[in-house]
Amino acid sequence: MIPAANPIIGKEERRAVDRVLRSGGLAQGPEVAAFEKEFSHHVDGRHSVALNSGTSALHMAFIAAGIKAGDEVIVPSFSFAATANSVALTGATPVFVDIEENHFNLDPSKIEAAITKRTRAIMPVHLYGHPANMVAVNEIAEKHGLLVFEDAAQAHGAKINGIPVGAWGLAASFSFYPTKNMTSGEGGMVTTPSDELARMVKVLRNQGMEIRYQNEVVGFNTRMTDIHAAIGREQLKKLPKWTEQRQSNAAFLNANLEGVVTPSTAPGMEHVFHQYTIKVVDTDRDAFAAELTKRGVGNGVYYPTPIHRLPSFQLELDLPATERIAQQVLSLPVHPALKKRDLETIVKVVNSVAKAGS
Ligand SMILES: *Cc1c(COP(=O)(O)O)cnc(C)c1O
């Protein structure tokens, strides 16, 4: 079986963890500080603040920016639930806007119709590693006086006109969950150009205190441990090479797959292929996926149910592109652990299933 995802842990990560275990300091400490400093180089020198998950990163960034009950935040429904959960957990309301069907990201032409007196922010998701149209989103936000956040959980190293994701909004959130383009075990990072927002995220992750036992706000324990940071630091060094491998794997699949709609990259965008996602349009997607699994090609559907229709939200909304795409997408293995023969197997199996189904 060719796995859909395959986190790569080497001797460097093992050595780094051992170093921390021997140091005696296990919780947030010097490794976290070093990880933050090193991550900043990947987001145009912005502040980086590490958290215990990508969800915490989103959540803390919203609270630090003052998002609260009564506010509305525009997000796509075609994403992982954490995108909207993090808004709802502040007491604010996620307002779901439709996506565009080529790159599966928030459709800028649909945003303005969703803006109300309560709208405070827009948060696109750089889904599958393809950047959202931040130029258009920032223009709309500026016109209406809104804050901009980025859900960059799937897009480490992706760029728009040469500028990295995570360097476009007031704040961006990354995830280091094991299946993401790099991992720390569990973990997340907020990036921001704002000194004050960075300080507040640090305060919020540590029970609301900057000075010990002088808690200034009601906070959380959402700190990253030095053990996780040590893993993350080693993975960050390997990220550029892994990104190139993902991109060359995707190029091979794009050149050789037949009978399915292969992913495209919009002009000016650097896609980092967290997922390599095809559209199955001529035949039933779920039957197609089951057949791939039967023939040894791991795959996944991200995401079969749009967030607004999950039991946790249960909203009746008219989001036609979101609904259609949720029926069509299928992600194939693209991770850097794939060998040439794995890629050839994927092509052979997908092409034969597509041919049989059409
Ligand atoms: C993974 C992910 C998150 C949440 O990250 P965790 O580290 O799992 O909490 C948020 N948004 C998107 C789009 C994701 O893919």
Side-chain angles (χ1 to χ4, degrees):
M1 188 78 186
I2 302 171
N6 188 359
I8 305 172
I9 299 292
K11 59 182 185 309
E12 299 80 9
E13 286 84 346
R14 271 188 277 277
R15 248 190 246 125
V17 168
D18 197 48
R19 177 178 77 229
V20 176
L21 294 177
R22 284 169 200 280
S23 77
L26 305 182
Q28 182 185 297
E31 293 285 339
V32 170
F35 186 27
E36 291 173 340
K37 192 155 170 258
E38 289 154 9
F39 199 84
S40 286
H41 299 313
H42 294 257
V43 287
D44 263 11
R46 291 188 165 200
H47 297 289
S48 299
V49 183
L51 287 308
N52 62 350
S53 74
T55 306
S56 293
L58 292 163
H59 189 197
M60 301 298 107
F62 283 136
I63 296 177
I67 302 294
K68 58 181 188 317
D71 294 340
E72 293 177 354
V73 178
I74 290 172
V75 293
S77 178
F78 190 63
S79 182
F80 183 51
T83 300
N85 288 351
S86 59
V87 174
L89 287 169
T90 68
T93 304
V95 172
F96 298 105
V97 165
D98 214 357
I99 55 169
E100 48 79 27
E101 297 191 47
N102 289 327
H103 308 104
F104 317 116
N105 285 324
L106 202 58
D107 184 344
S109 75
K110 306 273 170 63
I111 292 174
E112 283 190 300
I115 295 174
T116 72
K117 283 202 297 286
R118 290 171 177 253
T119 309
R120 286 286 313 284
I122 310 172
M123 183 170 74
V125 179
H126 306 300
L127 200 73
Y128 305 147
H130 187 295
N133 186 344
M134 295 310 296
V135 174
V137 168
N138 279 352
E139 231 171 71
I140 295 164
E142 197 163 322
K143 183 170 152 202
H144 295 270
L146 304 176
L147 305 177
V148 173
F149 295 85
E150 300 169 70
D151 184 339
Q154 304 187 355
H156 320 67
K159 294 185 180 70
I160 305 163
N161 303 329
I163 298 170
V165 304
W168 286 82
L170 168 64
S173 299
F174 291 83
S175 165
F176 307 122
Y177 186 74
T179 56
K180 302 292 158 83
N181 288 25
M182 60 171 285
T183 186
S184 62
E186 294 266 12
M189 194 76 82
V190 170
T191 64
T192 177
S194 160
D195 297 347
E196 180 47 29
L197 194 136
R199 192 192 82 87
M200 193 43 75
V201 173
K202 287 182 177 178
V203 165
L204 286 166
R205 76 179 169 186
N206 192 30
Q207 309 287 3
M209 51 185 186
E210 181 171 355
I211 304 164
R212 202 169 209 202
Y213 306 138
Q214 296 191 23
N215 309 56
E216 46 185 289
V217 294
V218 176
F220 300 78
N221 174 359
T222 49
R223 298 182 300 259
M224 179 181 275
T225 74
D226 263 13
I227 303 168
H228 294 90
I231 300 171
R233 291 180 70 194
E234 295 305 325
Q235 294 261 310
L236 187 59
K237 290 183 211 161
K238 300 176 183 180
L239 179 68
K241 176 110 188 298
W242 285 340
T243 298
E244 276 175 34
Q245 276 163 353
R246 285 177 181 274
Q247 289 166 337
S248 90
N249 291 346
F252 181 87
L253 295 174
N254 267 2
N256 291 287
L257 290 180
E258 288 162 8
V260 295
V261 182
T262 55
S264 68
T265 304
M269 302 294 189
E270 181 172 349
H271 191 337
V272 294
F273 291 97
H274 169 59
Q275 297 294 349
Y276 179 90
T277 303
I278 60 172
K279 286 193 274 191
V280 179
V281 288
D282 298 330
T283 169
D284 180 68
R285 187 268 320 274
D286 293 336
F288 195 105
E291 193 58 29
L292 293 188
T293 307
K294 208 167 97 192
R295 299 204 203 174
V297 174
N299 58 83
V301 173
Y302 314 102
Y303 296 89
T305 307
I307 301 173
H308 73 277
R309 285 204 286 104
L310 292 172
S312 47
F313 286 98
Q314 293 189 44
L315 297 169
E316 301 258 346
L317 301 172
D318 184 29
L319 303 175
T322 295
E323 299 291 355
R324 195 158 38 240
I325 289 301
Q327 300 288 317
Q328 295 178 344
V329 288
L330 183 60
S331 297
L332 305 176
V334 74
H335 54 80
L338 294 174
K339 300 278 178 284
K340 185 77 195 286
R341 66 164 188 282
D342 297 326
L343 290 163
E344 284 164 359
T345 302
I346 295 165
V347 166
K348 203 174 80 196
V349 170
V350 171
N351 287 355
S352 107
V353 174
K355 200 163 179 190
S358 64

